Amino acid sequence: FLYFIQPTASTFLASLVLSAAAGCGNLVSSGKLYREAEALRLHGSVRKSIAIADRGLQQWNSQLDTEWHWKFRLLKAELLFDQGARNQALELLQSGGPEPLSSELNVRYLADLGQAKRDLALVDRAFQLASRQPDSPLIPSIELKRASLNGYSSRAEEFLQHSLTIAQARADRYGEASALLDLGFRRLSLSRFDEAIPWLERAESAARRVNADRLRERALGNLGWCYYRLGDFDRALRSLFDAVT
């Protein structure tokens, strides 16, 4: 004979509480990992950030439709793109599963996918969707992507200026430093070295205030190149030395 024990209400309640606690613990763990990966990313420790993002992604790899899966997946793709691994980022973004349900994550997904595929229409679509959300934190980074895909056109300048304006309004210091850096680099790329310097100096200062070492390194390196091309070799040497250290 097989005997089935009917669970009492207290037994059922206890198991429910334990399950909820386990789920909350997982969420707390995921939140901690994500914050750590984001902090390392802002600081410029991309490889360490990728390793932590990958740990978080592994925890949710069997639940492709969850918000945490998509948070870690998008973060890792963005980090890969930052390292110049565009094909790997694209492969990760297209690796299957339903698109994210959250409107904010869906906007981020479209922007990242458009950047990886070099598809301006996708990034424009992400901007349109983000603009419908009040005070969306994604607009500065989306504008940087639109500028990058527009090359050195006048529209790229418009996107960069808008990114800077929104980042400053939101007190997003990392976004501000990124926009300033790209505004300076655009002028450097057009051989307008004297015009690039003020933007790059502001970018270096903004990056220093938030300990964004990778952005600061790039700003100093670009400043060194500008000074070199203008014949100011002492300042070029100092800037390049600071970039290296």
Side-chain angles (χ1 to χ4, degrees):
F1 295 93
L2 296 176
Y3 293 93
F4 296 94
I5 301 174
Q6 179 68 27
T8 64
S10 58
T11 304
F12 178 75
L13 182 60
S15 63
L16 185 62
V17 169
L18 287 172
S19 298
C24 288
N26 195 33
L27 288 176
V28 170
S29 175
S30 296
K32 183 178 179 181
L33 281 176
Y34 192 84
R35 288 191 297 272
E36 187 176 351
E38 273 280 77
L40 287 167
R41 178 193 192 183
L42 297 182
H43 186 63
S45 302
V46 178
R47 290 185 180 179
K48 290 181 180 178
S49 184
I50 288 178
I52 293 174
D54 200 45
R55 280 173 55 195
L57 186 59
Q58 293 299 321
Q59 290 183 0
W60 295 92
N61 236 0
S62 61
Q63 302 176 62
L64 303 184
D65 58 344
T66 59
E67 186 169 328
W68 277 115
H69 169 83
W70 272 105
K71 279 188 172 183
F72 284 114
R73 185 168 167 183
L74 291 172
L75 178 59
K76 184 178 178 181
E78 290 160 3
L79 289 162
L80 288 169
F81 199 93
D82 287 347
Q83 277 201 319
R86 186 178 69 87
N87 290 335
Q88 287 179 258
L90 180 59
E91 183 181 353
L92 179 60
L93 290 168
Q94 295 182 317
S95 59
E99 292 187 9
L101 298 176
S102 159
S103 57
E104 184 172 312
L105 288 176
N106 193 53
V107 168
R108 189 173 161 190
Y109 167 70
L110 289 173
D112 288 349
L113 184 63
Q115 184 183 31
K117 294 178 73 173
R118 295 177 179 152
D119 186 338
L120 182 57
L122 278 176
V123 185
D124 285 343
R125 175 63 177 158
F127 176 78
Q128 291 166 7
L129 292 173
S131 298
R132 297 175 191 170
Q133 302 173 14
D135 197 31
S136 172
L138 298 175
I139 288 180
S141 63
I142 293 173
E143 289 292 63
L144 294 184
K145 291 177 172 64
R146 294 171 91 193
S148 175
L149 292 174
N150 271 276
Y152 304 112
S153 68
S154 58
R155 291 201 74 197
E157 177 74 12
E158 177 187 330
F159 296 144
L160 291 174
Q161 291 285 358
H162 189 223
S163 175
L164 177 60
T165 299
I166 298 298
Q168 289 175 330
R170 291 183 50 81
D172 175 2
R173 302 307 175 203
Y174 185 86
E176 178 184 358
S178 299
L180 289 167
L181 179 62
D182 283 5
L183 282 161
F185 182 74
R186 181 171 183 272
R187 286 155 176 77
L188 180 156
S189 301
L190 296 171
S191 297
R192 290 155 49 185
F193 304 111
D194 55 337
E195 294 179 29
I197 288 173
W199 294 103
L200 294 170
E201 287 177 337
R202 290 172 63 191
E204 190 276 331
S205 178
R208 179 161 26 92
R209 288 199 300 270
V210 292
N211 296 317
D213 289 350
R214 189 163 180 266
L215 292 183
R216 190 169 174 230
E217 175 194 340
R218 289 172 58 196
L220 287 165
N222 289 337
L223 276 169
W225 179 248
C226 288
Y227 291 135
Y228 170 75
R229 293 301 302 269
L230 292 171
D232 191 341
F233 302 123
D234 288 340
R235 293 181 77 180
L237 187 60
R238 285 198 300 272
S239 293
L240 292 171
F241 180 79
D242 286 345
V244 170
T245 55

